[in-house]
C-alpha cells in the first residue's frame, strides 16, 4: 500500500540510524509523530523539516511550500528559509511555472528560498519537488507535549486538501448535483493549505501542535496521542466539515476525517486558556473549535484516540489511496 512508512518500521530501521551521536544542541530528533527537528540555536530554537510533493506543475510549487512550512509553523516557529530540489520528467514541464509558484508561496509565508538543486529525470512521469524548511522559534512546541486536562482544538475544517484532491481527480465521475460549481469551490481550498497564520495565534497557548496530512484529522489525532503518550477523548461530530467536503466524500464513499488534512491545525491547550485561544483565532478571522479533552491512558492500554464508541490506537490509512488504486487498475484493464 502507498503511504507513510509504519511506526514499527521507523522504530526498527530509522530512528536509531542517525549518524553521529546526538549532542546537547539537539532538542528534538527523529521520533514517532514529530514532523520537525529542533536544534538549540543562539537566535532561538532552530526548527527543520523536509517534505516531498509530486503533482501537476501548476500546483506542485505552492503546495510544496505550504506543506513544508506547515511543519515548521506547527512547531512554534516562523518559516524563514527554504531549500528546494526540483526533479522534472522532461522539458515539456515548464520549470518557470513551478518557480513562479514557489516564489509567490514563499513570499506569502515570509520565507526566503536560499538554495537547492534542479535536474531532468526521465524515469519520472510528473514533477517531484522536495523542500526543506527552516525557522526559528522562541520556544519549540512538539507534537508530544499534550498533558492530561488539556483541551483539543482544530482550526478551519477537516479534509481541506483532500477535498481539493477529490474534486480534481474524481469530481467528474461522482454523482453530485451541480458538479462544476462544487468542484470549483473545492479547488479553491488549495489556497487555504497554509497553517502559518493559525499557528502564530495558537502557539501562544499550545502545549502541543500538529499538522494533519495523510490520513486526515483522524490520523493526526492518533499521531498526537501516540507522541504524547495520552488518550484523546474527541467528539467526532464537533469537528468542522464543510459542505463541499461532505458532499464529495459522500459521493466517493470516503470519510472526511480520513482524507488528506493539510489546512487544519490540531493543538492541545490548557483548559483555562482555551476560551482566550479561540477568541484570538476568531479575531484573526480563523475558524476553530474545541473538540475534545486530553486524558491519562487507561491502565491496561496505551495511547489512543477515543472517537465515541471507536478506539483507535494504530496509524490511520488515508481513504483516498484505494480510490487511486482502483483507478489505476481500471486504466490497466
Amino acid at each position: 500500500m502507498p503511504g507513510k512508512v509504519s511506526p514499527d518500521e521507523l522504530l526498527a530501521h530509522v530512528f536509531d540510524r542517525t549518524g553521529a551521536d546526538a549532542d546537547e544542541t539537539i532538542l528534538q530528533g527523529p521520533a514517532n509523530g514529530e514532523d520537525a527537528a529542533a536544534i538549540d540555536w543562539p537566535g532561538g530554537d532552530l526548527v527543520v523539516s523536509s517534505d516531498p510533493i509530486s503533482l501537476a506543475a501548476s500546483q506542485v510549487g505552492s503546495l510544496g511550500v505550504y506543506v513544508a512550512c506547515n511543519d515548521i509553523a506547527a512547531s512554534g516557529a516562523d518559516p524563514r528559509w527554504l531549500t528546494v530540489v526540483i526533479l522534472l520528467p522532461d522539458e515539456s514541464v515548464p520549470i518557470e511555472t513551478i518557480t513562479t509558484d514557489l516564489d509567490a508561496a514563499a513570499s506569502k509565508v515570509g520565507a526566503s528560498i536560499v538554495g537547492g538543486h534542479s535536474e531532468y529525470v526521465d524515469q519520472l512521469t510528473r514533477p517531484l519537488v522536495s523542500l526543506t524548511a527552516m525557522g526559528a522559534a522562541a520556544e519549540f512546541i512538539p507534537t508530544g507535549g499534550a498533558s492530561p486536562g488539556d483541551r483539543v482544538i482544530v482550526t478551519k475544517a477537516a479534509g481541506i486538501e483532500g477535498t481539493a484532491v477529490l474534486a480534481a481527480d474524481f469530481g467528474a465521475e461522482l454523482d453530485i448535483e451541480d458538479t462544476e460549481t462544487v468542484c470549483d469551490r473545492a479547488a479553491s481550498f488549495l489556497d487555504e493549505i497554509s497553517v502559518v497564520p493559525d499557528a502564530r495565534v495558537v502557539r501562544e497557548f499550545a502545549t502541543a501542535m500538529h499538522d494533519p496530512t495523510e490520513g486526515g484529522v483522524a490520523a493526526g489525532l492518533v499521531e498526537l496521542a501516540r507522541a504524547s503518550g495520552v488518550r484523546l477523548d474527541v467528539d467526532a461530530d464537533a469537528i468542522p466539515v464543510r459542505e463541499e467536503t461532505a458532499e464529495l466524500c459522500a459521493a466517493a464513499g470516503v470519510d472526511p476525517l480520513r482524507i488528506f488534512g493539510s489546512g487544519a491545525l490540531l493543538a492541545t491547550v490548557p483548559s483555562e486558556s482555551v476560551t482566550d485561544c479561540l477568541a484570538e483565532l476568531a479575531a484573526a478571522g480563523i475558524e476553530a473549535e474545541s473538540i475534545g479533552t486530553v486524558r491519562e491512558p487507561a491502565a491496561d492500554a496505551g495511547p489512543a484516540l477515543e472517537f465515541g464508541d471507536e478506539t483507535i490506537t494504530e496509524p490511520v490509512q488515508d481513504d483516498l489511496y484505494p480510490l487511486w488504486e482502483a483507478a489505476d487498475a481500471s486504466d490497466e484493464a
Side-chain angles (χ1 to χ4, degrees), residues 4-319:
K4 293 181 179 178
V5 176
S6 73
D8 289 343
E9 289 181 281
L10 293 173
L11 184 62
H13 306 301
V14 176
F15 292 157
D16 63 350
R17 298 177 181 175
T18 55
D21 291 340
D23 59 30
E24 67 278 1
T25 66
I26 299 177
L27 305 177
Q28 176 67 62
N32 185 25
E34 298 291 352
D35 288 332
I39 301 165
D40 189 12
W41 182 60
D45 296 338
L46 180 64
V47 182
V48 183
S49 182
S50 296
D51 266 301
I53 192 163
S54 177
L55 288 170
S58 61
Q59 301 171 336
V60 70
S62 55
L63 282 180
V65 169
Y66 297 147
V67 168
C69 289
N70 280 356
D71 288 338
I72 299 301
S75 298
D78 290 318
R80 291 182 60 182
W81 308 286
L82 289 161
T83 63
V84 184
V85 175
I86 303 172
L87 303 180
L88 301 172
D90 54 48
E91 294 183 0
S92 68
V93 177
I95 192 170
E96 178 184 4
T97 299
I98 296 173
T99 55
T100 297
D101 286 349
L102 286 167
D103 176 54
S107 297
K108 183 176 178 180
V109 300
S112 300
I113 298 172
V114 296
H117 175 79
S118 59
E119 68 176 89
Y120 294 99
V121 180
D122 55 15
Q123 289 90 343
L124 295 176
T125 58
R126 56 186 176 183
L128 174 64
V129 175
S130 182
L131 295 96
T132 295
M134 295 162 276
E139 182 178 359
F140 172 66
I141 301 173
T143 302
S147 298
D150 289 347
R151 292 291 297 171
V152 183
I153 69 168
V154 62
T155 68
K156 297 196 190 97
I160 290 176
E161 180 185 6
T163 302
V165 171
L166 263 178
D169 288 6
F170 303 102
E173 305 163 15
L174 298 177
D175 184 17
I176 56 176
E177 293 185 14
D178 199 0
T179 301
E180 185 174 349
T181 299
V182 172
C183 289
D184 284 347
R185 292 202 306 263
S188 72
F189 287 8
L190 291 177
D191 296 332
E192 300 182 65
I193 296 298
S194 175
V195 297
V196 172
D198 314 40
R200 284 178 177 149
V201 174
V202 177
R203 70 189 182 193
E204 301 301 321
F205 305 92
T207 57
M209 294 195 293
H210 194 49
D211 164 39
T213 53
E214 179 184 320
V217 167
L221 288 166
V222 172
E223 290 163 358
L224 196 155
R226 289 167 64 105
S228 298
V230 297
R231 186 181 88 220
L232 301 181
D233 288 345
V234 172
D235 179 2
D237 293 335
I239 299 173
V241 176
R242 294 176 178 175
E243 180 181 343
E244 296 85 356
T245 302
E247 190 168 357
L248 286 165
C249 286
V254 299
D255 186 342
L257 306 185
R258 289 172 168 83
I259 61 171
F260 288 91
S262 293
L265 177 69
L266 295 169
T268 57
V269 176
S271 58
E272 65 272 17
S273 301
V274 70
T275 299
D276 288 343
C277 181
L278 294 175
E280 290 289 332
L281 284 164
I286 300 169
E287 300 171 54
E289 295 289 341
S290 176
I291 60 172
T293 303
V294 182
R295 310 285 190 196
E296 290 279 4
D300 58 347
L305 168 62
E306 300 284 353
F307 253 1
D309 294 333
E310 183 181 11
T311 300
I312 306 173
T313 59
E314 297 300 319
V316 175
Q317 186 76 22
D318 199 289
D319 276 2

